[in-house]
Structures are given as structure tokens and as C-alpha cells.
Amino acid sequence: MNRYITVEIESDILKYLGEWKTGKYGKKLTWGIISKSFGYSRQALSGNKVIKEAYNDVITTLKDTTSEIDILADIAKENKKLKKEITDANALIHEYEQKYIRWQENAMAKGISVEALNKPIDPTIKEQLRKRTQEN
């Protein structure tokens, strides 16, 4: 292996970095990965201005892009959370329905009609005073 990075090796490394930029190999690129792939040290690779600029460009692109898999995973997680909320809400509604039926039966057993239970509550003294002051 050559001790120095030649133009041909540089173009191979740039091509490799271009493939990384598309997300073909994942989202985590390090100098160590490039070093293992081409047999040059991190210092030699980062010392080459063209390779360093391409590397930084790839890193920026990988950080900025969110893959479709990540988006779908987030949607699936949100969907699961919403389904749980719906299940919990339906259980609470069922609980309140059962409580209403129980109260209705107990009231009828005590001789209180449903109409009497549904009768509106008389306004409090404060509410009556507010209403009078608003009318004046």
C-alpha cells in the first residue's frame, strides 16, 4: 500500500463517501470506518483537504436527514399511544355508564324519579347577584 493518498485512492474514497451520503451504509460515519476500509490513518485522511470537506459534508447530510424508517417508527409509536388512549377513554366511559345506571336504580328504589334527579339546580346567591348586576 502506498504511504501517501494518491489521486486514484482519493477518488475511491470520495466515491465511498458519496455512497455514505445517500444513507446506503447507515447514519453513523466515523474516521475509523474510512480508515479500516482504505488502510490509511485517521490523521492522513483528515489531513487531505478534499476528503475532509467531503467527510464533513456527509456528516452534515446524515445529521440533517431523517430516514423514512425513522419517520415510520415515530408514526407507529404515536399510533400505539393513541390506541391506548382510546382504549382507556372507552373503559372510563363504560365505567361512567355503569355508575349512572346504578345511581338511577338506587334513586328509584328510594322513591326518587329520574325527572327529579334531572331537575336543574337553583342558582346560588352569588349567581343571582351577578345576574342582577349584569342586567342593570
Side-chain angles (χ1 to χ4, degrees):
M1 170 127 304
N2 285 338
R3 185 176 145 136
Y4 300 101
I5 299 174
T6 63
V7 176
E8 294 83 18
I9 297 294
E10 184 180 282
S11 67
D12 289 344
I13 293 171
L14 293 176
K15 181 179 174 188
Y16 182 67
L17 289 173
E19 292 172 353
W20 265 95
K21 192 173 182 176
T22 64
K24 181 177 180 180
Y25 301 116
K27 292 189 75 160
K28 184 166 172 127
L29 174 65
T30 63
W31 284 114
I33 292 171
I34 302 169
S35 177
K36 285 180 184 176
S37 299
F38 292 94
Y40 290 96
S41 68
R42 180 195 61 78
Q43 292 81 3
L45 292 166
S46 64
N48 183 305
K49 185 178 178 183
V50 176
I51 293 173
K52 186 174 182 176
E53 288 176 5
Y55 174 83
N56 290 336
D57 184 43
V58 171
I59 293 297
T60 304
T61 302
L62 290 176
K63 284 182 182 177
D64 291 344
T65 59
T66 304
S67 70
E68 290 180 18
I69 294 170
D70 293 339
I71 293 170
L72 290 175
D74 290 345
I75 291 171
K77 190 182 345 181
E78 181 71 16
N79 190 20
K80 185 176 180 182
K81 178 184 158 209
L82 292 173
K83 282 183 178 180
K84 183 180 180 340
E85 285 180 15
I86 289 171
T87 303
D88 293 347
N90 284 336
L92 186 62
I93 289 169
H94 180 72
E95 202 175 299
Y96 280 124
E97 287 171 346
Q98 294 302 313
K99 186 183 283 189
Y100 175 76
I101 292 169
R102 187 172 54 250
W103 287 0
Q104 188 177 8
E105 288 295 320
N106 288 335
M108 287 174 34
K110 298 281 184 184
I112 303 171
S113 69
V114 176
E115 292 79 24
L117 290 173
N118 288 329
K119 183 182 130 194
I121 299 173
D122 293 331
T124 64
I125 294 174
K126 282 185 177 182
E127 288 174 344
Q128 291 173 0
L129 288 173
R130 276 191 212 119
K131 188 174 182 181
R132 284 185 201 156
T133 55
Q134 287 175 354
E135 289 174 356
N136 294 335

